């Protein structure tokens, strides 16, 4: 049997931290190449290198049936018309799905099917769950004005593949138009 502290973990969504769990911080400089408006990106970077998000990973076991979860806190803000976002990834074991639960704030998830490229923008809101199927790249955007906090639960064996997205980015972007998030083809903005 796992120890009590492995069975029960206290998380602080306000900061994206979990007692005793490692937290990863991503700053604007870590998201080079993610945003469409490169001039706005460079200008924002020149003014500082703000924290965009923090995610704490809880990994109690590593067996094939085990689960891991991450507590995320994504700051509000925009680069040009694009909302602050996570890097986004596929799971290394492509068939691994994930369940996201919104805790506070307002966000969207961008989902992209690996085989077809079909893209969806789905809301990530408190008291709602978003099912991310296997074989689907996923990225989270904060579309509100306060920090977005959420939990993502995934198989312990899922692994994370950032390489494919870093190389070609998502096919679509989520941008603010007249105060609301809209999904557009990246090519339509070039
Ligand atoms: C785990 C997962 C989330 C993300 C988090 C940060 O599989 O999807 O916990 O890790 O939203 O995003 P990335 O990992 O894309 O930097
Ligand atoms: Zn994931």
């Amino acid at each position: 049997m796992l120890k009590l502290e492995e069975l029960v973990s206290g998380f602080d969504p306000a900061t994206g931290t979990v007692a005793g769990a490692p937290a990863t911080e991503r700053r604007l400089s870590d998201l080079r190449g993610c945003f469409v408006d490169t001039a706005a990106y460079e200008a924002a970077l020149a003014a500082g290198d703000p924290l965009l998000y923090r995610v704490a990973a809880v990994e109690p076991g590593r067996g094939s049936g085990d689960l891991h979860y991450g507590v995320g806190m994504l700051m509000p803000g925009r680069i040009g018309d694009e909302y602050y976002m996570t890097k986004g990834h596929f799971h290394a074991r492509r068939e691994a799905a994930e369940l996201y639960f919104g805790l506070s704030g307002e966000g969207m998830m961008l989902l992209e099917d690996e085989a077809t490229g079909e893209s969806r923008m789905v809301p990530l809101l408190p008291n709602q769950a978003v099912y991310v199927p296997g074989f689907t790249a996923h990225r989270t955007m904060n579309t509100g004005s306060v920090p977005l906090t959420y939990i993502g639960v995934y198989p312990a064996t899922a692994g994370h593949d950032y390489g494919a997205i870093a190389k070609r980015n998502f096919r679509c972007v989520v941008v603010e138009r007249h105060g609301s998030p809209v999904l557009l083809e990246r090519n339509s903005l070039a």
Side-chain angles (χ1 to χ4, degrees), residues 26 53-56 69-72 86-89 91 98 100 109 138-140 150-154 158-160 162:
R26 298 284 182 213
Y53 62 98
R54 186 182 290 121
V55 57
Y69 74 92
V71 178
T86 59
K87 283 184 154 191
H89 58 267
H91 291 148
E98 180 162 1
Y100 273 68
M109 292 192 72
H138 44 290
R139 164 176 279 170
T140 306
Y150 57 92
I151 288 184
V153 185
Y154 47 98
H160 293 87
Y162 292 95

